[in-house]
Amino acid sequence: MKESAPAPDRHVPVPERPRRALVVEDEPHIRELVALHLRLEGLDVAEAGAGDAALRQTEAERFDLVVLDLMLPRVDGVTVCREIRRQRLNADVPILMLTARREETDKVLGLDSGADDYLTKPFGIRELLARARALLRRPRADRIGPPGLSRTPIAAGALRIDPARRQATVDGAAIDLTPHEFDVLHLLASHPGIVFTREMLLARIWTEDTHVTERSVDTLVKRLRQKIEADTRDPRLILTVWGTGYKFADV
Ligand code: CA
């Protein structure tokens, strides 16, 4: 019996690549529990039991989420986090940090390690999954298009941004911004909590100029902060992500 070839079905969508997560934890039962539940969420999960192994994996492939324990053998979680932020493939990956105590949580955030969110142990698995889902919903910075597309006004604290008029105000008073300053502010503020590397900002904002360097980004952010932050030594709107770039406060 000869079977005819199946007719092509235009309505079958191309299956999306399963989202890939990395769970870095040296305690096997916690690692396995987290990995199991992320797999039940439909994620493809890799595991690492030490910091150096995690860095080898993140150098080799792109992940959609990293769950990272703070206390790890050989290379600790904060160092792993900072190194991931310098990598080509995963500089902007959402990182959920697991910490043992409240004080460590403060330390992790105070050090500006580059983690996107944290959970204090012991944590409930439902809480972990809720945080993981929220991080997975965020668009990655390298999939965000050029600025200027959205014309929706943005409000953050005393700051108002009006993209249609390309104008920003602080406490109702208009502030004087260069076109590049406005574009950087608008891009960051349109995607609160999302990490933009200096390279990504250069590629999106300085499209016509190939002579600018990553230092130009820092200089521009410094000027922007003087115009929009109440205290430039303690910025609350444009936050530095250590070793990586910048993100707008997720308020
Ligand atoms: Ca540990």
Side-chain angles (χ1 to χ4, degrees), residues 157-226:
L159 176 71
R160 297 283 181 280
I161 303 169
D162 181 353
R165 295 162 64 200
R166 290 185 63 83
Q167 202 181 62
T169 58
V170 173
D171 285 325
I175 51 170
D176 197 18
L177 297 174
T178 68
H180 281 158
E181 286 169 2
F182 182 85
D183 287 339
V184 169
L185 179 63
H186 183 211
L187 179 64
L188 293 174
S190 305
H191 306 95
I194 294 181
V195 178
F196 286 85
T197 65
R198 292 176 176 82
E199 202 179 12
M200 288 166 179
L201 290 170
L202 281 176
R204 277 167 184 74
I205 308 295
W206 283 266
T207 47
E208 80 288 2
D209 190 347
T210 52
H211 297 291
V212 289
T213 64
E214 299 195 351
R215 181 73 68 187
S216 315
V217 178
D218 297 332
T219 309
L220 182 141
V221 168
K222 199 176 162 189
R223 284 202 313 266
L224 255 182
R225 280 178 173 155
Q226 285 163 357

Side-chain angles (χ1 to χ4, degrees), residues 25-27 69-72 121:
E25 165 65 84
D26 55 316
E27 288 167 66
D69 186 33
L70 181 65
M71 302 299 281
L72 290 167
K121 289 179 181 176

